[in-house]
Amino acid sequence: MSKGIKEIPKLTVDALLTENRVFKPSAEFTKQANVKNDSLHKKAAKDRLAFWAECAEKLDWFKPWDKVLEWKVPFSKWFVGGKLNASFNCLDRHIKAGLGNKTAIFWEGEPAGEQKIISYDEAYKQVNKLANVFKSLGIKKGDRVAIYMPMIPEAAYAMLACSRIGAIHTVVFGGFSADALRERMNDAQAKLLITADGGYRRGKVLPLKDIADEAVAGAPTIKHVLVVKRAKNNITMHEKRDLWYHELMGKAKDFCEPEHMDAEDVLFILYTSGTTGKPKGIIHTTGGYLTGVTNTMQWVFDLKSKDVFWCTADVGWVTGHSYFVYGPMANAATQVMYEGTPDFPERNRFWKIIEKYKVTIFYTAPTAIRAFMKWGTKWVEDCKLTSLRLLGSVGEPINPEAWIWYHLNIGKQKCPIVDTWWQTETGCILIAPLPGITATKPGSATKPLPGIETVVLDDDGKEIKEGGGILAIKSPWPSMLRGIWRDPERYKKTYWSRWPNTYFPGDGAKKDEDGYLWLLGRVDDIMLVAGHNISTMEVESALVDNPIVAESAVVGITDELKGQAIAAFVILKEGNNPSEESQNILKAHVVKKIGAIARPEKIIFTPELPKTRSGKIMRRLLRDIAEGRALGDVTTLADASVVESLKSKYEDKEG
Ligand code: ATP
Ligand code: MG
């Protein structure tokens, strides 16, 4: 990102694509909604700090705070002097309220027939025991614990057990390589690693412990590796260093006193996905973070006690932290946790899970939705999705056509869709519809949530009331990052050096005549074509608008005449063949949707796109390919063979 700042074009962004469809909330939905009117917005507008204080009161505090906010730009402290514990808020208080029997997690393993139903009582017991195990291994308040796990309940227990004793967790996605794991453990100086022998992914066992061994060999701060037996694959246990989870849990006591944490004590460090460059260790603290996730869970997802919530994100991403572990559990939600991929054993696995557990709220990413579009509706048709009442999207801008597909085929035209914009850095959702009151427009994350003050600015910091520019946040919010681990300078430079006193998230946005926000993708990806700043998002959405296209990624390539020309990488829906004719059709389609300025110079058909392990398109690698450069940092890439084959295909054509 710090590298990216220099590359940002010095202009506003041209907003070219228009989308006129509007979906109003049904009277029926509004009637039952948690947020039925604009009273939250009014409260927040009247007195923002009093509003956030009221939000924080939904948590259980051991000691109330003395001051809501201390703001010394760019460092904020929220609920100063308050004491609380995250695991207490996610477990103990629900048990005290008589919810011990309530299902916390319906866990579904990837192999057929594997499931576990875990109550709040059970989760409480496991977390307490594990907290005692951590203590027995010498882990104390403030120590860092790395978590490298498959999607099994023990991953959530590990996070909550850390928070119970005040240890700082850093979860590393279970699909990352040994290098990526080692780099993160070393940066965080973690003392303990908790992992599993293996986990299931698309029918195969991913040998996590072997990868962890390779990583730990170069991570001198790690004293112990705690290993959950999951896949029963063969592993090597290193004497003294490695310990079996079940053996220590078998001996551990059932209760561990929750540590009274300061509101500003660090809850976790999480490294960003690494879409734009070297991952940053984002720091979140306890009181403000929990306030953000607990409230947005109620507002945006309209969560009720009877709901079955399913967020498909892995615990390794911020979405898994905020909307699988902390947000839902602080609200005593019942949730689904699924270990594997959506296409195993068949491409209808997600829909089968929704049918089986009667999921009511489903939250996934555009990358998944575009894969479903590519596979076709036949996989959805024979599954009963009638339990669904609300759908969500996160991770990338959602193309309007993908939104409509989701609305028709999954929501069956009756479920509101919440397109939620946020980042690892923001901790919780900041821009999203409130499903009972906000009319949605496909592709727009709509408006900021109450208490969040966003603006669209040009490069000089001048506000753009209507049109394209750069998204900015004018004032601090409780769940904002508190810094980058061991790198305060990078924190200042990355987020606070662009405009005075204003947070720079790094995304382009346009504001329409109704004040709706349309996220235009990363500022670093914006193309400068013949004097126009064109967002990758708009050209991609115009391509996806054509019925033969499932997904696309566009990049700007150097062009002598125009400065940059547009190269589009396109994945066709199954049953369509790449041809020169379809290239011409697609070029003409973009011209029709947006205008001649956005006509792609080149269209390259491909079966796959380079994506991060969190499923986001890595356009910077496509730029490297298109410009014949050596590939940049590829450590967070999901499948290296995709870029290699694209590269040779591209070079063949050029050559
Ligand atoms: P890195 O910062 O390391 O490059 P990353 O930005 O992909 O990685 P995350 O914090 O997981 O890491 O992703 C946040 C980004 O994802 C946002 O800044 C935005 O670009 C994109 N994003 C997330 N949700 C949405 C959404 N609903 N609409 C548009 N963009 C979104
Ligand atoms: Mg980012």
Side-chain angles (χ1 to χ4, degrees):
M1 194 67 103
S2 47
K3 182 178 119 255
I5 286 181
K6 279 187 251 125
E7 296 166 2
I8 297 163
K10 281 268 170 200
L11 294 163
T12 58
V13 186
D14 292 277
L16 301 170
L17 195 69
T18 42
E19 171 58 61
N20 297 319
R21 291 167 284 195
V22 177
F23 295 81
K24 294 210 175 98
S26 70
E28 201 190 340
F29 193 96
T30 305
K31 211 169 117 199
Q32 61 79 59
N34 290 343
V35 181
K36 293 187 180 55
N37 53 47
D38 61 359
S39 63
L40 289 176
H41 288 97
K42 282 191 176 140
K43 264 190 210 168
K46 196 165 152 242
D47 186 342
R48 201 166 50 86
L49 297 187
F51 166 76
W52 283 123
E54 202 179 313
C55 293
E57 275 159 19
K58 288 185 188 155
L59 300 171
D60 274 29
W61 295 79
F62 299 131
K63 177 180 172 284
W65 56 88
D66 309 311
K67 199 173 168 196
V68 177
L69 171 67
E70 219 176 85
W71 180 222
K72 292 195 185 113
V73 190
F75 297 99
S76 74
K77 289 185 178 166
W78 285 85
F79 312 114
V80 184
K83 301 262 185 215
L84 78 170
N85 181 284
S87 89
F88 184 93
N89 274 281
C90 292
L91 299 166
D92 306 42
R93 63 171 178 160
H94 308 322
I95 313 258
K96 284 188 194 195
L99 296 172
N101 281 333
K102 190 176 179 190
T103 299
I105 300 172
F106 287 117
W107 177 78
E108 170 114 343
E110 194 187 76
E114 263 198 288
Q115 72 161 43
K116 277 184 198 161
I117 299 178
I118 298 152
S119 65
Y120 271 91
D121 270 338
E122 178 65 18
Y124 172 78
K125 191 168 124 193
Q126 298 300 327
V127 168
N128 273 275
K129 276 176 177 285
L130 187 54
N132 284 326
V133 169
F134 288 170
K135 278 186 162 174
S136 76
L137 296 174
I139 301 300
K140 295 186 297 295
K141 185 177 165 185
D143 286 343
R144 272 82 61 207
V145 173
I147 300 174
Y148 182 65
M149 296 274 262
M151 279 292 278
I152 55 177
E154 288 81 355
Y157 301 158
M159 292 163 74
L160 291 167
C162 284
S163 72
R164 195 158 191 93
I165 62 170
I168 299 168
H169 58 71
T170 182
V171 185
V172 179
F173 171 55
F176 271 133
S177 64
D179 286 347
L181 173 60
R182 184 189 311 114
E183 188 191 358
R184 286 160 178 74
M185 289 191 297
N186 284 338
D187 189 71
Q189 298 176 308
K191 259 192 177 171
L192 172 71
L193 168 66
I194 165 158
T195 187
D197 49 0
Y200 288 92
R201 227 176 148 69
R202 202 165 280 125
K204 292 203 184 88
V205 173
L206 186 68
L208 289 169
K209 175 63 166 61
D210 293 350
I211 302 169
D213 284 342
E214 205 187 318
V216 174
T221 55
I222 296 285
K223 298 284 171 282
H224 290 291
V225 179
L226 191 60
V227 188
V228 178
K229 192 173 263 182
R230 159 67 189 126
K232 303 191 180 72
N233 47 318
N234 275 331
I235 60 168
T236 317
M237 291 295 272
H238 295 246
E239 218 185 317
K240 293 204 177 109
R241 188 195 76 184
D242 298 354
L243 302 154
W244 282 110
Y245 179 97
H246 60 269
E247 287 177 3
L248 299 194
M249 288 291 273
K251 292 183 254 169
K253 291 218 172 72
D254 276 349
F255 179 71
C256 171
E257 192 67 49
E259 194 74 32
H260 289 205
M261 302 297 287
D262 194 276
E264 279 300 324
D265 278 335
V266 177
L267 178 62
F268 63 82
I269 305 166
L270 180 62
Y271 291 84
T272 51
S273 317
T275 310
T276 49
K278 187 174 175 275
K280 305 168 279 278
I282 301 301
I283 300 171
H284 280 289
T285 58
T286 310
Y289 173 79
L290 280 183
T291 300
V293 297
T294 305
N295 283 276
T296 47
M297 199 61 220
Q298 298 170 6
W299 303 337
V300 179
F301 295 110
D302 192 47
L303 184 78
K304 306 284 164 41
S305 78
K306 284 210 292 274
D307 277 312
V308 179
F309 182 68
W310 184 19
C311 162
T312 65
D314 191 278
V315 286
W317 314 123
V318 72
T319 308
H321 283 56
S322 301
Y323 299 106
F324 169 61
V325 178
Y326 291 109
M329 294 191 81
N331 282 291
T334 296
Q335 303 191 79
V336 169
M337 180 186 207
Y338 169 55
E339 181 186 31
T341 57
D343 54 354
F344 191 85
E346 289 198 287
R347 289 171 166 179
N348 58 5
R349 186 67 186 267
F350 273 17
W351 321 128
K352 291 270 177 214
I353 291 175
I354 290 176
E355 179 176 281
K356 178 171 171 188
Y357 298 105
K358 301 194 171 53
V359 171
T360 59
I361 307 171
F362 178 63
Y363 190 33
T364 197
T367 183
I369 299 166
R370 292 186 301 247
F372 304 142
M373 278 171 76
K374 178 175 152 191
W375 298 340
T377 53
K378 71 169 184 198
W379 297 103
V380 188
E381 276 150 17
D382 61 343
C383 297
K384 205 167 146 223
L385 303 180
T386 46
S387 56
L388 287 172
R389 67 179 195 91
L390 181 70
L391 303 176
S393 168
V394 63
E396 287 177 294
I398 179 165
N399 316 98
E401 276 324 299
W403 194 105
I404 294 288
W405 189 94
Y406 199 28
H407 170 72
L408 293 177
N409 297 292
I410 309 304
K412 313 285 184 197
Q413 305 190 55
K414 76 174 176 56
C415 302
I417 296 180
V418 289
D419 173 7
T420 62
W421 179 88
W422 59 299
Q423 314 177 290
T424 308
E425 293 88 338
T426 67
C428 73
I429 297 167
L430 297 194
I431 305 173
L434 295 172
I437 59 172
T438 315
T440 51
K441 302 184 186 186
S444 167
T446 74
K447 295 190 177 184
L449 295 179
I452 303 298
E453 302 184 317
T454 60
V455 273
V456 175
L457 301 179
D458 71 8
D459 202 56
D460 299 323
K462 206 168 114 263
E463 185 170 351
I464 295 169
K465 296 269 187 214
E466 198 185 320
I470 305 165
L471 184 69
I473 305 172
K474 280 198 308 190
S475 56
W477 64 100
S479 68
M480 66 188 275
L481 75 165
R482 299 301 192 262
I484 295 180
W485 187 250
R486 300 204 301 165
D487 203 347
E489 283 312 310
R490 191 175 178 202
Y491 169 66
K492 287 189 209 158
K493 197 169 152 215
T494 308
Y495 307 106
W496 300 96
S497 63
R498 198 170 177 90
W499 310 288
N501 300 350
T502 304
Y503 175 80
F504 167 64
D507 285 349
K510 85 177 174 204
K511 203 179 216 182
D512 72 12
E513 65 279 13
D514 300 321
Y516 275 52
L517 294 167
W518 301 74
L519 278 304
L520 298 177
R522 291 158 203 276
V523 182
D524 316 28
D525 288 338
I526 286 164
M527 304 171 289
L528 187 59
V529 183
H532 292 267
N533 275 310
I534 298 181
S535 98
T536 50
M537 162 66 187
E538 295 201 319
V539 182
E540 287 161 8
S541 288
L543 285 161
V544 176
D545 184 75
N546 189 285
I548 65 171
V549 176
E551 184 160 30
S552 98
V554 311
V555 294
I557 49 172
T558 311
D559 182 275
E560 272 178 26
L561 286 179
K562 294 188 261 186
Q564 278 190 318
I566 297 173
F569 295 80
V570 171
I571 301 181
L572 294 174
K573 281 187 189 152
E574 275 176 15
N576 296 287
N577 291 319
S579 66
E580 207 177 310
E581 193 196 346
S582 39
Q583 284 175 339
N584 292 333
I585 291 173
L586 294 180
K587 286 180 185 175
H589 195 80
V590 175
V591 173
K592 189 174 114 225
K593 287 294 289 185
I594 305 187
I597 181 74
R599 181 188 157 88
E601 186 76 30
K602 284 187 185 163
I603 292 197
I604 303 106
F605 295 109
T606 169
E608 297 291 346
L609 287 166
K611 290 186 180 170
T612 58
R613 284 167 207 265
S614 59
K616 300 182 197 211
I617 299 170
M618 280 168 105
R619 291 178 192 77
R620 65 182 169 83
L621 292 184
L622 292 173
R623 276 200 301 268
D624 290 345
I625 293 173
E627 306 230 288
R629 277 193 302 265
L631 296 178
D633 186 356
V634 291
T635 46
T636 57
L637 195 66
D639 179 356
S641 67
V642 172
V643 254
E644 285 310 325
S645 74
L646 257 174
K647 202 166 175 231
S648 53
K649 200 167 158 186
Y650 198 88
E651 280 159 6
D652 271 3
K653 251 175 95 181
E654 294 298 292

